[in-house]
Amino acid sequence: MKILLSNDDGYFAEGIVTLALALAEEHDVRVSAPAAERSGAGHALTFNRTFKWTEIAPDEMLLTGADGKRIPFHAVHGSPADAVKFALEYIYRDEKFDLVISGINSVPNIGSDIIYSGTFGAAEEGSVLGVPSVAVSAAAYDGGYALAAEFVKNNLSALHAAASPYVTVNVNVPSGDRGKIKGVAVVPLGIRRYNDWYEHDGSGGYELFGSPGNYAADKEETDCKMFDLGYITVTPVRVLCTDEGSVARVRENGWKI
């Protein structure tokens, strides 16, 4: 497969480097990612202002695939979605990609996290542009990225098949320790709430802090629950998210002009 990799942690991040090396053993891999860390950027695109693009010099990213060819790395000075859109519509506009993968992110993106996630936003941009796309996140503080990269590599065909038109597959790996993984759960998104607070920095600014709750005891089997129970979660997410069940009901509300 020809695979475009992106992320929201920056082209230099350990997660994307680990995944690039794992996939390049058998596939044609290209990287287009933000020039700097852009977590929380969601699906933002850069409008009404310019941004720069840099092809990373070979002496900075000496990553090669099994065939000995260097993996091309591109740094886009914009959002994660910019990096994917610019790669597909400008850098590689005359080439066809089989798959876009965003990640491996350094923290989970579970449930409603995807609203804010630049990792998911980058993958979803691939879906919008008609390329099957996958977002991959992991609890990297617990064993690193190798297990998540192996999961993607070993299940690449299944992930590609799950990413049907305008559907982005969201994957979360709860640990880098194989012994802690209970299995794989294909489940819907949940609502992931945080215990949030703002702190004043002493100079007029505020910073948001927070920690997520634990959902292991929830009744509904969502990605939030199954992740907290130790399962790798796989969730197909529609780009076109109309609540079809409400359309007919709302149509009868007696709208006035």
Side-chain angles (χ1 to χ4, degrees):
M1 290 188 191
K2 180 178 287 187
I3 302 171
L4 177 68
L5 298 185
S6 194
N7 69 358
D8 70 359
D9 291 324
Y11 73 89
F12 47 80
E14 183 181 352
I16 199 169
V17 170
T18 301
L19 186 58
L21 284 171
L23 294 178
E25 293 177 3
E26 299 176 5
H27 303 278
D28 182 3
V29 174
R30 320 289 176 88
V31 175
S32 178
E37 194 266 344
R38 291 295 305 272
S39 295
H43 200 143
L45 286 175
T46 300
F47 294 107
N48 302 320
R49 63 185 187 277
T50 62
F51 62 83
K52 295 182 179 180
W53 154 54
T54 306
E55 183 169 6
I56 304 305
D59 59 349
E60 183 175 345
M61 303 298 294
L62 294 175
L63 300 183
T64 59
D67 58 3
K69 294 182 180 178
R70 188 176 69 87
I71 302 171
F73 270 70
H74 303 276
V76 175
H77 297 253
S79 70
D82 281 330
V84 171
K85 185 175 180 66
F86 192 68
L88 294 178
E89 295 192 334
Y90 184 81
I91 302 173
Y92 297 114
R93 59 187 176 275
D94 296 324
E95 301 184 37
K96 178 178 175 56
F97 282 84
D98 300 297
L99 191 63
V100 170
I101 303 178
S102 180
I104 303 167
N105 196 55
S106 59
V107 295
N109 282 302
I110 314 164
S112 46
D113 289 349
I114 67 166
I115 298 169
Y116 315 104
S117 167
T119 302
F120 187 82
E124 191 174 50
E125 180 61 21
S127 299
V128 169
L129 296 177
V131 183
S133 299
V134 179
V136 184
S137 303
Y141 48 80
D142 186 11
Y145 300 93
L147 180 61
E150 183 181 352
F151 177 81
V152 173
K153 179 181 176 181
N154 291 343
N155 294 280
L156 199 62
S157 294
L159 291 169
H160 181 267
S164 55
Y166 304 111
V167 171
T168 306
V169 179
N170 192 43
V171 176
N172 282 277
V173 181
S175 175
D177 182 347
R178 185 179 300 277
K180 295 181 180 179
I181 301 296
K182 301 287 184 61
V184 179
V186 179
V187 284
L189 297 174
I191 296 293
R192 195 181 196 212
R193 303 190 186 281
Y194 286 74
N195 302 309
D196 290 336
W197 68 92
Y198 288 91
E199 291 188 6
H200 195 276
D201 68 359
S203 62
Y206 293 84
E207 186 171 359
L208 176 63
F209 294 89
S211 59
N214 186 286
Y215 297 88
D218 279 8
K219 292 182 180 180
E220 294 186 39
E221 291 198 351
T222 66
D223 61 340
C224 298
K225 174 179 179 175
M226 301 310 289
F227 181 90
D228 284 346
L229 286 174
Y231 288 83
I232 296 173
T233 63
V234 178
T235 305
V237 181
R238 291 187 301 167
V239 172
L240 303 173
C241 48
T242 302
D243 184 1
E244 295 172 355
S246 297
V247 170
R249 175 179 57 80
V250 174
R251 189 177 287 138
E252 303 302 322
N253 280 357
W255 302 100
K256 300 175 182 179
I257 298 177

